[in-house]
Amino acid sequence: MTAAGLGREAMREVAVGAMNARSGQEAARRLLEAGPPLPDAIFCANDLLALGVLRVLLQAGIKVPTDVALIGYDDIEFSAAAAVPLSSVRQPTYQLGRIATELLLEECDLSGGHAHQQVMFQPELVVRESSRPGGAS
C-alpha cells in the first residue's frame, strides 16, 4: 500500500469468526452493507474465505477483477477451479514440513542442548484471473 501511495487509513479490516467459506460470505455481505466505495482489492487470510467472498461478490453483480481484485492464501486445489480462478499466495509446504520435522526431532533429542530457531520461508504469488487485469468477471 505504501508503494501505491496509500496510508493505513485506506485499508479496511473485516473480522471473521472462522476461516471457512461461510465466514467469507458473511464478511463480504458486511463489506457490501457498509456501502460504497468498494475496495479496489480484497486480500483474504485463506482461500476458503476468499471463495466465500467471491461467491457473494458475483451474486451481487460485482465483476472480479474488473470491479474488485481478490486474492487468497494457501493456494488450495479448489482455488484454480473457482468460477473466477482465484489468485493466491502459495506456501512452500514440502519445505515447511521437512524443516518442522527436523526441528521436532532436534527438540526430542535428549543428548544435547537445543536452541529455538525461527525459520522464514518465501511464499509465492500465484496470479490467476481474480486479480489479473482483463481477467474473467
Side-chain angles (χ1 to χ4, degrees):
M1 290 185 62
T2 302
L6 300 172
R8 177 117 171 101
E9 70 281 351
M11 184 170 55
R12 287 189 265 172
E13 186 175 331
V14 179
V16 295
M19 300 288 273
N20 57 36
R22 180 174 302 218
S23 289
Q25 291 174 345
E26 292 167 4
R29 286 187 193 104
R30 288 196 314 269
L31 187 65
L32 294 177
E33 288 168 2
L38 281 173
D40 294 330
I42 299 172
F43 178 77
C44 296
N46 73 17
D47 286 348
L48 291 176
L49 287 168
L51 291 169
V53 168
L54 177 63
R55 181 173 186 184
V56 169
L57 293 176
L58 294 177
Q59 288 173 342
I62 296 167
K63 295 181 175 87
V64 176
T66 306
D67 299 331
V68 178
L70 179 63
I71 298 179
Y73 198 95
D74 288 331
D75 195 32
I76 63 173
E77 183 177 346
F78 299 111
S79 298
V84 177
L86 182 64
S87 294
S88 187
V89 177
R90 178 185 298 154
Q91 298 184 78
T93 52
Y94 176 81
Q95 195 178 12
L96 281 164
R98 184 178 55 79
I99 296 296
T101 301
E102 289 173 6
L103 292 172
L104 179 61
L105 291 172
E106 183 181 311
E107 182 134 351
C108 291
D109 182 9
L110 300 176
S111 63
H114 171 76
H116 289 281
Q117 298 178 44
Q118 181 177 2
V119 180
M120 301 281 284
F121 296 95
Q122 183 65 45
E124 171 190 0
L125 177 61
V126 180
V127 179
R128 297 190 182 100
E129 283 78 6
S130 72
S131 68
R132 185 178 292 149
S137 62

